[in-house]
Amino acid sequence: AAGTVPRRRPPGSDMGRGLSLLLLPLALLAAPARAEGGSAAAEEVQIEIEVLHLPEACSPKSKKGDLLNAHYDGFLASDGSKFYCSRTQNEGHPKWFVLGVGQVIKGLDIAMMNMCPGEKRRVTIPPSLAYGQQGYAQGKIPPNATLIFEIELYAVNKGPRSVEAFNQIDKDGDKKLSELEISQYLKEEFARDGKKRHPSAHDEILADIFKKNDHDGDGFISAKEYNVYQHDEL
């Protein structure tokens, strides 16, 4: 059921996890189906959310652009049959995905907002916010299927294109990232993770970052170019 499974993009062989998350474009694994129309408020009304467990310490709460780590099971509401279990995939490791950017079906993007680490939810998602009239045969989901997910959220981290990440690199606060600033950030990350690298690795990664992010070729990565997830704060 690849369409329902958010998967983290493997980091490059010569880069630490922090680098791959903060700087490099994330390959979005969008669900095969999209919800059709409707306002955000109307969509939220259609989703039923039952909180099964809420920890006393509920911080930070998830928001669009956050990197989440969670386990979840998916069931067909019609007969209760299970069509997906994250614990049987990828050696049982919880799934990583960025919230609110289309890496999972729209119903999950909505249902997992404002969720805290350790929280468990059971959510019911209508077809319009799941796989719609066409269903998803590969995932054994029939047309017009209402889906139920039981979710356990483990971690809420700053996403790969967060405001915090940008400001951390933007030392002079001019809202654009220079080659010098990113070069310094790479050196700090390399020192932090302690991995042995070929001397050319720094220059190769720096060139790759600008090739993929400096769209107007001015030698800087602007807040707009960096901010692939369109946060309003930048």
Side-chain angles (χ1 to χ4, degrees), residues 2-233:
T4 61
V5 186
R7 291 178 292 181
R8 182 177 53 176
R9 180 184 180 215
S13 59
D14 218 11
M15 284 175 273
R17 176 169 171 267
L19 292 179
S20 63
L21 292 178
L22 289 173
L23 291 174
L24 302 183
L26 197 72
L28 299 185
L29 301 176
R34 296 289 186 186
E36 301 169 1
S39 66
E43 290 168 350
E44 290 174 8
V45 169
Q46 295 181 59
I47 295 176
E48 297 177 16
I49 299 176
E50 178 185 358
V51 177
L52 304 177
H53 174 71
L54 187 66
E56 291 184 12
C58 185
S59 179
K61 289 190 174 182
S62 60
K63 64 183 184 302
K64 182 179 178 180
D66 282 344
L67 182 69
L68 305 188
N69 186 231
H71 263 316
Y72 56 91
D73 296 331
F75 306 86
L76 297 179
S78 58
D79 60 8
S81 61
K82 183 184 291 188
F83 62 83
Y84 180 73
C85 175
S86 64
R87 290 173 176 83
T88 63
Q89 305 289 324
N90 192 29
E91 298 181 346
H93 296 301
K95 305 302 175 185
W96 288 97
F97 63 99
V98 179
L99 183 65
V101 300
Q103 290 187 351
V104 291
I105 58 173
K106 194 165 187 178
L108 281 176
D109 266 341
I110 296 170
M112 293 185 69
M113 292 286 183
N114 297 312
M115 199 171 177
C116 53
E119 184 175 344
K120 297 179 182 179
R121 290 182 178 181
R122 180 184 292 116
V123 301
T124 303
I125 299 173
S128 63
L129 297 177
Y131 294 94
Q133 296 179 359
Q134 68 270 39
Y136 182 44
Q138 185 179 344
K140 299 180 180 179
I141 298 171
N144 298 311
T146 296
L147 307 180
I148 297 173
F149 287 92
E150 292 185 356
I151 306 161
E152 182 173 4
L153 182 61
Y154 294 104
V156 177
N157 297 329
K158 298 300 181 184
R161 296 302 176 110
S162 68
V163 177
E164 290 83 359
F166 185 92
N167 291 337
Q168 179 184 353
I169 304 168
D170 183 24
K171 301 292 187 183
D172 61 9
D174 64 354
K175 296 300 181 184
K176 57 184 180 181
L177 306 181
S178 68
E179 187 171 323
L180 180 61
E181 285 173 328
I182 294 180
S183 176
Q184 182 59 36
Y185 178 77
L186 288 176
K187 291 177 182 177
E188 293 172 357
E189 284 293 305
F190 288 173
R192 186 177 295 118
D193 69 26
K195 292 182 179 180
K196 292 183 179 180
R197 294 178 173 83
H198 190 275
S200 65
H202 174 278
D203 292 342
E204 290 173 358
I205 293 171
L206 185 63
D208 187 60
I209 288 170
F210 273 86
K211 179 181 179 181
K212 292 179 178 176
N213 293 274
D214 182 18
H215 303 304
D216 61 10
D218 68 349
F220 294 89
I221 297 175
S222 67
K224 183 177 181 181
E225 288 171 328
Y226 175 92
N227 191 25
V228 70
Y229 295 137
Q230 301 300 312
H231 293 265
D232 296 331
E233 296 93 327

